[in-house]
Amino acid sequence: MNSTKRFQLVPMPEVVFGTGTIAQVGERTAQLGSKALLVTGRGSLRQSGWLDRIVGDLVEHGVAVTVFEGVEPEPSLATVERGREMLREAGCDVVLAVGGGSSLDVGKAIGALANAPGTVADYHQGREITETGLPIIAAPTTSGTGTEVTPNAVLSDHERGVKASIRGDGIIPKVAIVDPQLTLTAPPAATAYSGMDAFVQALEAYTSTGANLVTDGLAAAALVHIGGSLRTAYHDGSDLCAREHVSLGSLLAGMAFASSRLGLVHGLAHPVGAATGEPHGRVCGLLLAHVIEFNMVAACEKYAQAARMLDITADPDDEVAAWQLHRWVVELVEELQIGTTLSELGVTEADLAAMIEPTISSSSSQHNPREVTEPDLWDFLRRML
Ligand SMILES: [Fe+2]
């Protein structure tokens, strides 16, 4: 092994992982502020009873709480603006985001832009965040995005039809509380979609041109935790052991790709998501086998290693092992009822032209193991219809 390789990792939050760790939310929040904006989604946290328990714990620790509920899937810039307004009116000094990837991304953006001038759209279009924001605590209720540890928040600008990230070190939460208990009530489809997102993130981190020795270790562990337990978590959502493995895998994948970046699945997922409104994880799962096939000429060895780590095969021939990974993914996607073609998401030939430029220019595509050229991408998309 060449031990002289150079690499740099992005900063990470303090991570509190494990069943029961959500009980620390009041104590942890009180260490960072006294007035919290609690950001969450459209009601599942309230229905599960967790919202009342979390608010109760915050109040018990002397933290005043303003609840910003109603973050939608694939959240908009307008939602972040509403949250910033509520935060200013209430004079909050800490942001606590609890929910799926959308709620966490909105909470992160509100916290990071709390003291920033201008509009959210300015930063979505590339303005650098120079003002220090508020401390952010993130507690995911799905195992998928890994956003509890990453320096970006994915938001949609519906006026411009653009789905993209705002990025910056200030977007990284101070603390990530990852309690697998919170995922027990996620329904099968949400479990499948978010779990496939996590699996794709692990595999794309592993094959990315930005991968290094540390991210490889994180991504490999993530693949094993997710690949070994996602089917069980999907079929029996109450299986806490399976939920723990998928939660940990999702977290590790987030820690890996925050530094290594991703690949073509994620390069395409934003324009496809913007065109269809389909959940990000479903889009990622649907694209994965096709992208493995596309990348086979460039990433065969890494795919083969992944197949052996997942215990799919012990075949020493890289090409044979890599294609067994491909078949395993095809079968997994079928079992999780994700779909296999872009037509199933409502995409037509007329939609493809608008997907080309954003895919090629995305940072994810630029870290894909095989270069993504315009003619190859046209060919790829036409075959996926
Ligand atoms: Fe993703």
Side-chain angles (χ1 to χ4, degrees), residues 182-240:
L182 296 184
T183 70
L184 285 170
T185 49
T191 302
Y193 299 162
S194 56
M196 276 313 294
D197 183 25
F199 185 83
V200 172
Q201 285 168 181
L203 191 60
E204 292 211 299
Y206 193 60
T207 57
S208 164
T209 57
N212 62 52
L213 299 175
V214 176
T215 60
D216 272 0
L218 292 165
L223 282 170
V224 172
H225 282 290
I226 302 162
S229 294
L230 181 54
R231 283 184 166 89
T232 307
Y234 172 70
H235 290 297
D236 178 6
S238 66
D239 188 318
L240 183 59

Side-chain angles (χ1 to χ4, degrees), residues 144-145 197-198 201 257 262 266 280 284:
T145 62
D197 183 25
Q201 285 168 181
F257 90 78
L262 293 159
H266 277 82
H280 170 74
C284 287

Side-chain angles (χ1 to χ4, degrees), residues 201-378:
Q201 285 168 181
L203 191 60
E204 292 211 299
Y206 193 60
T207 57
S208 164
T209 57
N212 62 52
L213 299 175
V214 176
T215 60
D216 272 0
L218 292 165
L223 282 170
V224 172
H225 282 290
I226 302 162
S229 294
L230 181 54
R231 283 184 166 89
T232 307
Y234 172 70
H235 290 297
D236 178 6
S238 66
D239 188 318
L240 183 59
C241 182
R243 294 289 197 180
E244 285 174 335
H245 280 290
V246 180
S247 280
L248 181 57
S250 171
L251 171 68
L252 296 173
M255 294 172 90
F257 90 78
S259 293
S260 69
R261 313 302 278 269
L262 293 159
L264 178 56
V265 172
H266 277 82
L268 267 167
H270 287 178
V272 172
T276 63
E278 284 290 329
H280 170 74
R282 182 179 185 206
V283 175
C284 287
L286 187 144
L287 291 166
L288 180 59
H290 302 274
V291 169
I292 291 175
E293 196 175 339
F294 178 83
N295 285 342
M296 195 57 87
V297 290
C300 182
E301 188 183 344
K302 277 268 175 103
Y303 287 146
Q305 287 166 353
R308 295 182 196 114
M309 286 185 303
L310 285 161
D311 228 359
I312 295 167
T313 181
D315 200 302
D317 185 309
D318 281 352
E319 201 174 336
V320 172
W323 280 108
Q324 286 183 352
L325 173 73
H326 177 268
R327 194 199 310 158
W328 184 88
V329 167
V330 168
E331 287 169 4
L332 177 65
V333 165
E334 190 181 348
E335 189 171 335
L336 302 187
Q337 300 184 52
I338 281 174
T340 57
T341 65
L342 288 175
S343 309
E344 289 168 70
L345 305 182
V347 175
T348 66
E349 173 93 27
D351 297 318
L352 300 185
M355 295 178 181
I356 300 291
E357 194 282 323
T359 301
I360 288 177
S361 65
S362 86
S363 156
S364 294
S365 299
Q366 286 166 10
H367 287 83
N368 192 59
R370 175 178 165 185
E371 190 190 355
V372 183
T373 65
E374 195 171 326
D376 286 346
L377 186 58
W378 269 109

Side-chain angles (χ1 to χ4, degrees), residues 90-142:
C92 296
D93 53 11
V94 59
V95 174
L96 169 63
V98 188
S102 304
S103 298
L104 266 51
D105 279 355
V106 167
K108 285 165 66 180
I110 293 170
L113 299 176
N115 300 315
T119 64
V120 181
D122 296 339
Y123 299 93
H124 199 243
Q125 289 167 35
R127 179 171 174 177
E128 192 185 344
I129 306 169
T130 50
E131 291 73 16
T132 304
L134 295 181
I136 301 155
I137 299 179
T141 59
T142 60

